Amino acid sequence: MDCGITELGYVRFGVSDLAEWQEMIETLIGLEVFKEEEGSLFVRSDDHHHRFELVEDASDDLLTAGFRVAGVDEFEQIQGLLRTANVPFEAGNQELAAQRRVLDLVTLEDPAGNPLEIFHGPQVDAHKPFYPSRRMFGKFVTGDGGAGHMILKHAGLDQTYEFYRMLGMRGSVEYKFPLPDGGVADVLFMHCNSRDHTVAFGLPSKKRINHLMIEVDNLDDVFMTHELVQASQYPVQVSLGKHANDHMFSFYFTTPSGWQIEIGYAGRPATHQSEYYTRDTYGHEFNRS
Ligand SMILES: [Fe+2]
């Protein structure tokens, strides 16, 4: 569908300790952090004004997932789709649009109550190239694929599929994980661009967010970040390994807010025809300690 979501444009997180987050990002990940107002930090991974915003908030969870559509026409069309599907949404005013650094937006919730914003026209600061907060071998991968991907909580995979399909995404269950009790855990992956998935659902999470994936274009940055994380107070939650679906070579560590960040390299797009896996290619051992 031409009028659908094109990328995960920005994400806002509530964090209880802004200073700890800033230090973690600047020493471990290398994203650019800057402050424009009290109680909030902007985080960049490319030349957009920001890709992430950290807001001082005790939730330590996802505050808003910002999904982009291409332009004015697509923005009008997707509001028509929401009306047809009887999904309640609110038009954002100019004050909110200015806060988000976008031309226009609407606010809504997905079936699980995850707060979403659909927008067009992000502020791109072409005059202000990305400047990493620590040494990097390469850079972060955004471009056509947007800011990254997230796994979020869901309220049933069928209605989750219907909702994100309505917004223009495609996808399917890509993993059926055997469970110790003999059952099977299905994980649903939805894509809208060059990433295998932009959102996925089905991993257990007490919070709205299970993890955020940020991609780098140089394998050395995965290993350097991994070494820095191992020497830090933040535990590696999933060891180095390769996913069977998006081919991402990655590891996961626990953020100061308790959810995970995945640092990935060499992800591939979704397969043209759906397929599923029962385990990863190698590695990705879960830390149960
Ligand atoms: Fe991931």
Side-chain angles (χ1 to χ4, degrees):
M1 183 192 313
D2 290 330
C3 65
I5 287 169
T6 57
E7 65 174 63
L8 178 64
Y10 59 81
V11 192
R12 303 173 67 248
F13 298 104
V15 308
S16 53
D17 192 332
L18 274 178
E20 183 181 1
W21 262 90
Q22 179 166 11
E23 184 171 353
M24 184 279 286
I25 290 173
E26 290 182 340
T27 56
L28 301 186
I29 305 179
L31 295 161
E32 181 180 349
V33 183
F34 68 101
K35 183 174 176 177
E36 288 193 348
E37 57 207 57
E38 279 309 310
S40 149
L41 291 171
F42 288 117
V43 182
R44 304 179 86 213
S45 56
D46 60 10
D47 62 357
H48 285 218
H49 176 272
H50 66 277
R51 287 293 194 168
F52 309 104
E53 184 180 3
L54 307 176
V55 180
E56 196 161 25
D57 178 276
S59 68
D60 279 310
D61 203 352
L62 173 79
L63 286 186
T64 323
F67 290 112
R68 185 180 185 179
V69 294
V72 175
D73 293 349
E74 293 81 3
F75 185 65
E76 292 299 324
Q77 288 165 21
I78 207 161
Q79 290 177 68
L81 290 175
L82 292 170
R83 282 188 204 99
T84 303
N86 289 318
V87 175
F89 66 93
E90 282 184 35
N93 55 37
Q94 278 310 300
E95 189 185 345
L96 186 63
Q99 277 177 20
R100 300 287 192 266
R101 273 71 171 183
V102 298
L103 290 175
D104 208 349
L105 79 164
V106 295
T107 64
L108 66 156
E109 291 183 353
D110 80 357
N114 295 310
L116 312 183
E117 293 173 356
I118 297 175
F119 74 96
H120 77 94
Q123 178 177 329
V124 176
D125 288 341
H127 64 287
K128 190 180 165 192
F130 172 71
Y131 187 74
S133 57
R134 64 151 170 81
R135 294 179 197 281
M136 289 184 68
F137 292 96
K139 57 185 188 311
F140 292 99
V141 178
T142 55
D144 290 348
H149 73 229
M150 292 193 293
I151 292 203
L152 300 179
K153 74 169 184 184
H154 68 94
L157 292 185
D158 288 345
Q159 63 168 324
T160 303
Y161 175 84
E162 291 298 327
F163 178 83
Y164 284 92
R165 182 80 190 94
M166 181 262 299
L167 297 180
M169 294 192 180
R170 286 179 56 85
S172 69
V173 167
E174 292 181 4
Y175 283 95
K176 284 181 171 287
F177 285 118
L179 295 173
D181 66 5
V184 173
D186 287 353
V187 189
L188 170 70
F189 294 79
M190 301 298 291
H191 64 268
C192 58
N193 55 36
S194 58
R195 294 194 190 282
D196 172 86
H197 52 284
T198 285
V199 280
F201 307 89
L203 291 182
S205 178
K206 290 186 193 125
K207 296 178 182 283
R208 291 168 176 160
I209 180 168
N210 167 280
H211 77 262
L212 165 73
M213 191 287 305
I214 303 167
E215 189 172 356
V216 291
D217 70 354
N218 191 311
L219 183 61
D220 292 340
D221 283 315
V222 178
F223 279 95
M224 185 164 79
T225 308
H226 186 257
E227 186 173 280
L228 290 167
V229 168
Q230 280 189 309
S232 79
Q233 63 184 295
Y234 305 106
V236 171
Q237 194 61 37
V238 181
S239 70
L240 289 163
K242 183 174 178 177
H243 285 307
N245 63 341
D246 64 2
H247 287 192
M248 197 75 78
F249 181 79
S250 65
F251 75 99
Y252 299 60
F253 70 97
T254 304
T255 69
S257 293
W259 48 270
Q260 315 288 311
I261 284 182
E262 175 185 11
I263 303 292
Y265 168 73
R268 69 159 180 179
T271 54
H272 178 61
Q273 302 182 93
S274 58
E275 56 187 50
Y276 78 93
Y277 319 91
T278 58
R279 53 158 290 169
D280 268 347
T281 311
Y282 52 76
H284 279 159
E285 296 299 324
F286 194 80
N287 177 3
R288 299 188 188 278
S289 62

